[in-house]
Structure formats: C-alpha cells, structure tokens
Amino acid sequence: MGLFWALVGTTTSASGTKWDRPNFATSTLSLDRGDGTLLTYRVELATTPRQHAYGLMYIEAMDADAGMLFIFDSMAVRSFWMKNTLIPLDMLFFDDEGRLVSAVEKAAPGSLFSRLSSGPAKYVLELNGGSMRANGIGPGARLRFPIGG
C-alpha cells in the first residue's frame, strides 16, 4: 500500500538546539488499535535524517491526540533514544504494511539507552507515555493508509 501526504517545505540547521528545531509537516493519522477501533492522532512527520535525529527533543508537553511519525525509506531494525527528550514516550514500531512490529512503553525522559525494534520497521510512531495502555493499543495495531487522506 502506498502512502500519500503533502509535505511542506522544511528547514534544517546543524547545531541541534531547541532554538533551531526543524520544521515538520503535519498530518492526521488513523491507527487501528488492534480490535477494529480507530484512533486519530495529529502528528508531525519526520522524514529527513535531520528531522529523525531531532524528533521530539525539548518538547515540554503534547496534547493527548498528538505525536510524531518517523518515516524511513526502507525496512530496518530501528534504534531510538531519549536524549534531550523531556517527556516520557511510547514508541510503536511498524513494518512497511503498517503492522505493529514491537513497542516500548513509557521510555524515560533523557535516557541514552537504545530502544530497538524487535524486527525490521519502516515507521515509528511516538506518543505520550502511557498512551498505549490508556487507549487499548495492542499487538494487532495497524497504521491506516493513506496518511492524511
């Protein structure tokens, strides 16, 4: 299944401080929590290496229906840490078909410990820590495509 979304222009800079946060395109994402119930999130799209590296660093709070979707060009085991991340996050790793591969719940803010997907993933959805449990997101969870459509 193909993805469709409109990307707006992005800017980048090299230093990685909270004052030079890259611009992220935004979209609406539908997620089947694993039982046919659809959840909707407003997400920022991280599509470039600079955006992948910056992610949600320095964000002090997110709305309950907000998150970030990391989109990679290919399938690979993904590794994420929480450097300069100020809030706990749930990390959901999805394959190229949008199926949940694995998840990390409530990753601790600021941790440099690498959290790996249990298998190859093309997408990583970061939500507020505790969102998976609070919203009943389970092993059969699946992204719905097209994103933003």
Side-chain angles (χ1 to χ4, degrees), residues 27-38:
S27 188
T28 301
L29 172 95
S30 293
L31 172 70
D32 179 332
R33 67 181 195 177
D35 62 2
T37 302
L38 290 181

Side-chain angles (χ1 to χ4, degrees), residues 39-75:
L39 303 171
T40 303
Y41 293 97
R42 293 175 295 106
V43 295
E44 291 182 303
L45 302 174
T47 60
T48 68
R50 171 80 175 111
Q51 292 170 330
H52 293 161
Y54 201 95
L56 290 170
M57 289 193 309
Y58 304 108
I59 298 297
E60 295 178 354
M62 277 195 312
D63 291 341
D65 67 342
M68 180 170 280
L69 182 66
F70 294 79
I71 302 170
F72 296 93
D73 292 332
S74 62
M75 294 272 289

Side-chain angles (χ1 to χ4, degrees), residues 5 10 15 17 26 45 48 54-56 63 66 76 84 87 97 99 102-103 126 128 139 142 146 148-149:
W5 63 86
T10 60
S15 66
T17 66
T26 58
L45 302 174
T48 68
Y54 201 95
L56 290 170
D63 291 341
N84 299 321
I87 59 174
E97 297 288 322
R99 294 179 297 242
S102 62
E126 289 185 340
N128 282 305
R142 193 171 185 137

Side-chain angles (χ1 to χ4, degrees), residues 8-27:
V8 296
T10 60
T11 60
T12 61
S13 68
S15 66
T17 66
K18 62 183 172 182
W19 292 279
D20 62 1
R21 187 173 195 267
N23 290 326
F24 293 89
T26 58
S27 188

